[in-house]
Amino acid sequence: MGDLMARLTRGRWTLIVSCVIILAAFTATVDSQLMFESINMDEMDSVSVSQFSISQSVFSDKIPCVFRGGVRLHGNSWKISDCEECDCRNGTIRCDIMTCQKPECADPVSISGECCELCPYKLKLKEVFSSFPSGQTIVEGKTNKFKFHPSIKIRVSQTSRQIRGENMWRIDAWVSRSEDGSGPQFSYRENILNDLQRANEFSQLKYTYYQANDRYWTIRNVKYNFDASEGTCEDFRYFCIKFNVTDEPKPMFDLPLTFSVVKGEDERQTVCKRLGACKGVFAKTFDWDLEGEDPIPGQDTPVTIDIDVTFKRHTRNLEGDGLWRVALFGSSNPGGDGPRFGEVLQILDADESSEDIREGTSLYVDSIETDFELGTVGCVEDVGYICMEFLKGYAPNPDFTLNTAEARGNATRDSLITCKPQECQSRVVFTKLRATLLSPDVMVEDTNYTDTKVKLKATSNKQLTTTVAGEKLWQVVTFFSKNEVGEGTRTNEQPQILSRTQEDQTLPKGKNLVFRRMDFQVDLDGIICEEVPFMCFELKKNAESSIDFTFETHPLQDPLVDCISMEDVCKG
């Protein structure tokens, strides 16, 4: 009955009955056993003493009681009415008589078997608090276990002093994107309280004051398992709970229960706490190897790639379709920032992009095939690095959050980029240069602007020379010299006699570089033949070349020059 009963006053009256039959029970042995047609204490008033034969072995040294012609054994208790209850203590009968105070409510309820009228239960909620720690770390794709102590702040003047029953209370829990818990509810659980917590007794006397007219009521050790596989870290921002009464509460004595919220503001039933860092797939390192044969600047080259991605140990297990993306590009810096040259947005095929990971193991994919302008990287200005970027797929199923070790502080980065320096793989090694005069047959000394045509052939080392392609690759210088190797003073030097087309001429791998006809004019104004016995030609790499290829000679010839004798050509 607890504090629902009124203040109890106790009157005590004692009946001491001496009975020859009972005294004889302690001095003699009876022939027959104690016989009861019924031992129901509620019917004992009608039982006469003559119906019993009592032995010393049954009652030991405790004296029974006789009440209204019936025997009550030591330790028995019985009700006379809803407000009177008696018990037997070693031959002494004690009876308690309860008195009731006036009910504090206007609509008290009479309960069968209860002495006093009782007031219906009522609880006025003011606010919900949660001891759930802000900043709780979440691991995406796994079950995260929470334990907390929700507290209810009530309006004292409009709440019963005590509420008891079974299946009384309800706390729903979920994770939300919103601070107020609105919108999609992730891992929603209806009533996370266990049976004992649902029957948790509310009593104003047991809980401390929060403010003058408000008190906390705490339900301890509430557990919630958050399944973080239903969404992504972007969704997991707030942990929310909502307090309510169950749909089918069972208050003690079947008393009516009224639950309400201050000012009718239902949002007071809900409280949300900010979650901390969310860890999904946590990529730690990304490495790769790339191979390509005979790269040509300005052209795509078939390449083969191996990638290796390592993950942190707590990374979620993940399997599905279209999970990963790897981009390939050239860059001007080792961080891969800035403009991307020749980017291939996805080098993985459908199977490769769907490789699964388990227990934080590495993701290794080999023999990936794609085309990339490999020959240009390292050969052109501001593109000296080959870079690859590891990312989440365009539309992975299931969706997930990719975290990386490159994130710093509050900043986030959803990819790993690894760049490696690349030297230009275009190389030419010339072994010999040969110039042939095509016309004119005769050049006259002390004249100018003589149209001249010359063929120039540079023989390459076929094993060491790659394809060289680009713009403004070559430069041919012509001049007159006094010796057959072009050393010493150069007379009437012309720095470039190639046409623009010849400057851009591609040297294929395994071929020689041949300029079949170089057209230019020779100036012999003020010069006599004896002063210029040789007309020479030097082949070199154009300083304005669009690619930074390697230009070499073997055996070493610096400069690479060939001269034509003017003995039979120059005439006075």
Side-chain angles (χ1 to χ4, degrees):
M1 291 176 284
D3 68 332
L4 297 176
M5 298 181 177
R7 186 179 58 210
L8 180 66
T9 62
R10 175 171 296 183
R12 181 174 299 170
W13 50 279
T14 306
L15 297 176
I16 303 176
V17 180
S18 299
C19 180
V20 176
I21 297 175
I22 295 179
L23 291 175
F26 295 95
T27 60
T29 303
V30 293
D31 296 335
S32 59
Q33 296 294 322
L34 177 62
M35 303 296 295
F36 293 106
E37 292 184 2
S38 173
I39 313 180
N40 188 333
M41 289 292 99
D42 293 334
E43 301 175 1
M44 286 293 289
D45 290 345
S46 64
V47 180
S48 66
V49 175
S50 62
Q51 290 175 271
F52 298 93
S53 175
I54 308 173
S55 70
Q56 182 179 359
S57 61
V58 174
F59 292 103
S60 184
D61 59 346
K62 300 296 184 181
I63 301 173
C65 304
V66 176
F67 179 73
R68 295 181 181 178
V71 174
R72 304 284 182 168
L73 300 182
H74 167 76
N76 288 162
S77 62
W78 62 96
K79 294 184 69 173
I80 301 174
S81 68
D82 286 345
C83 295
E84 296 175 278
E85 185 173 2
C86 300
D87 60 15
C88 175
R89 290 288 182 268
N90 197 21
T92 301
I93 296 175
R94 299 185 308 172
C95 291
D96 293 332
I97 302 174
M98 293 187 300
T99 60
C100 302
Q101 290 184 338
K102 183 180 179 181
E104 297 179 350
C105 57
D107 52 349
V109 179
S110 295
I111 304 297
S112 177
E114 294 295 319
C115 176
C116 303
E117 291 185 315
L118 302 177
C119 289
Y121 289 139
K122 58 182 178 180
L123 187 144
K124 175 76 78 170
L125 181 141
K126 189 171 184 180
E127 196 169 355
V128 179
F129 294 91
S130 173
S131 65
F132 186 83
S134 295
Q136 175 81 32
T137 299
I138 300 299
V139 179
E140 182 185 276
K142 295 187 177 182
T143 298
N144 300 262
K145 297 183 177 181
F146 300 161
K147 183 178 180 180
F148 61 105
H149 317 293
S151 295
I152 315 302
K153 192 162 85 172
I154 57 111
R155 178 64 57 83
V156 171
S157 61
Q158 299 176 20
T159 298
S160 300
R161 288 185 297 169
Q162 187 180 48
I163 303 176
R164 291 188 295 176
E166 296 180 357
N167 194 39
M168 300 290 287
W169 316 116
R170 166 178 170 173
I171 291 182
D172 301 340
W174 69 94
V175 170
S176 176
R177 299 172 186 166
S178 307
E179 187 176 5
D180 61 358
S182 61
Q185 296 174 322
F186 297 93
S187 192
Y188 177 82
R189 299 291 182 268
E190 181 177 308
N191 206 352
I192 59 176
L193 300 179
N194 59 35
D195 290 342
L196 290 177
Q197 292 166 336
R198 297 181 190 194
N200 196 39
E201 176 184 344
F202 169 78
S203 173
Q204 291 192 24
L205 300 177
K206 294 182 179 180
Y207 302 99
T208 58
Y209 281 96
Y210 176 70
Q211 290 180 351
N213 194 38
D214 297 308
R215 294 180 180 177
Y216 273 132
W217 171 42
T218 301
I219 303 177
R220 302 191 62 80
N221 299 322
V222 177
K223 297 179 180 179
Y224 169 63
N225 291 335
F226 169 46
D227 180 5
S229 64
E230 296 181 7
T232 67
C233 286
E234 187 66 22
D235 303 313
F236 308 151
R237 295 183 179 180
Y238 295 91
F239 170 59
C240 303
I241 61 172
K242 181 178 181 179
F243 177 82
N244 211 331
V245 174
T246 64
D247 294 336
E248 297 181 353
K250 298 178 181 179
M252 184 170 282
F253 311 121
D254 290 327
L255 287 172
L257 171 61
T258 301
F259 173 76
S260 60
V261 182
V262 170
K263 298 181 181 180
E265 298 171 349
D266 292 343
E267 61 270 18
R268 291 175 179 265
Q269 296 174 250
T270 301
V271 61
C272 297
K273 299 294 284 290
R274 188 71 163 94
L275 292 170
C278 179
K279 299 176 180 179
V281 174
F282 206 117
K284 188 166 58 174
T285 64
F286 174 44
D287 195 17
W288 53 264
D289 290 309
L290 181 148
E291 294 182 356
E293 294 185 1
D294 303 327
I296 300 174
Q299 299 182 25
D300 283 340
T301 300
V303 295
T304 302
I305 301 168
D306 301 336
I307 65 168
D308 186 10
V309 186
T310 63
F311 301 90
K312 286 195 173 181
R313 181 174 53 84
H314 63 244
T315 284
R316 63 175 288 187
N317 296 335
L318 186 63
E319 57 180 315
D321 299 320
L323 303 175
W324 318 111
R325 180 164 72 91
V326 176
L328 170 64
F329 59 95
S331 179
S332 62
N333 64 79
D337 301 320
R340 296 186 173 191
F341 172 80
E343 183 173 19
V344 181
L345 294 175
Q346 171 65 298
I347 66 172
L348 305 177
D349 62 25
D351 291 335
E352 293 164 344
S353 66
S354 301
E355 290 283 339
D356 61 350
I357 56 171
R358 292 191 174 275
E359 305 301 332
T361 55
S362 296
L363 173 67
Y364 181 76
V365 184
D366 62 354
S367 302
I368 302 166
E369 296 181 353
T370 191
D371 292 333
F372 177 61
E373 201 171 321
L374 176 64
T376 306
V377 181
C379 296
V380 299
E381 187 178 2
D382 294 332
V383 188
Y385 294 87
I386 296 177
C387 301
M388 290 194 203
E389 182 178 20
F390 177 75
L391 313 94
K392 181 173 75 171
Y394 286 117
N397 181 26
D399 197 5
F400 63 96
T401 300
L402 179 63
N403 304 113
T404 72
E406 293 187 5
R408 296 291 185 269
N410 293 325
T412 59
R413 183 165 184 171
D414 58 2
S415 68
L416 284 174
I417 296 178
T418 302
C419 298
K420 299 180 180 181
Q422 175 76 4
E423 293 184 357
C424 184
Q425 297 189 39
S426 292
R427 179 190 185 194
V428 59
V429 179
F430 291 121
T431 59
K432 183 171 62 174
L433 185 66
R434 178 66 61 211
T436 303
L437 180 64
L438 301 177
S439 67
D441 294 331
V442 174
M443 293 184 185
V444 180
E445 64 181 15
D446 197 23
T447 60
N448 54 19
Y449 304 122
T450 301
D451 291 329
T452 305
K453 295 177 176 59
V454 174
K455 175 183 178 182
L456 188 66
K457 176 182 178 182
T459 304
S460 67
N461 183 310
K462 306 303 185 291
Q463 286 72 40
L464 299 179
T465 298
T466 68
T467 297
V468 179
E471 297 179 355
K472 294 188 175 181
L473 301 173
W474 316 109
Q475 180 179 358
V476 174
V477 181
T478 183
F479 58 92
F480 291 102
S481 176
K482 291 185 178 181
N483 61 75
E484 61 182 356
V485 296
E487 294 177 345
T489 302
R490 295 186 173 190
T491 302
N492 283 6
E493 183 179 52
Q494 296 185 54
Q496 176 64 293
I497 61 173
L498 296 177
S499 66
R500 180 57 191 271
T501 300
Q502 291 170 329
E503 285 181 333
D504 299 344
Q505 184 172 314
T506 296
L507 172 62
K509 179 179 174 62
K511 301 293 184 179
N512 298 322
L513 179 64
V514 179
F515 300 114
R516 299 193 177 279
R517 193 180 78 178
M518 300 183 294
D519 294 319
F520 60 100
Q521 291 182 325
V522 171
D523 183 7
L524 291 176
D525 185 27
I527 298 176
I528 61 176
C529 293
E530 293 179 357
E531 297 175 339
V532 286
F534 296 96
M535 182 168 62
C536 301
F537 300 88
E538 177 189 0
L539 174 63
K540 60 182 181 178
K541 173 183 173 182
N542 195 324
E544 298 180 4
S545 173
S546 62
I547 65 169
D548 187 18
F549 67 95
T550 301
F551 185 100
E552 298 176 281
T553 59
H554 184 76
L556 181 62
Q557 301 174 62
D558 188 18
L560 181 59
V561 174
D562 186 48
C563 297
I564 299 172
S565 173
M566 298 292 288
E567 180 178 358
D568 297 330
V569 177
C570 186
K571 303 297 182 179

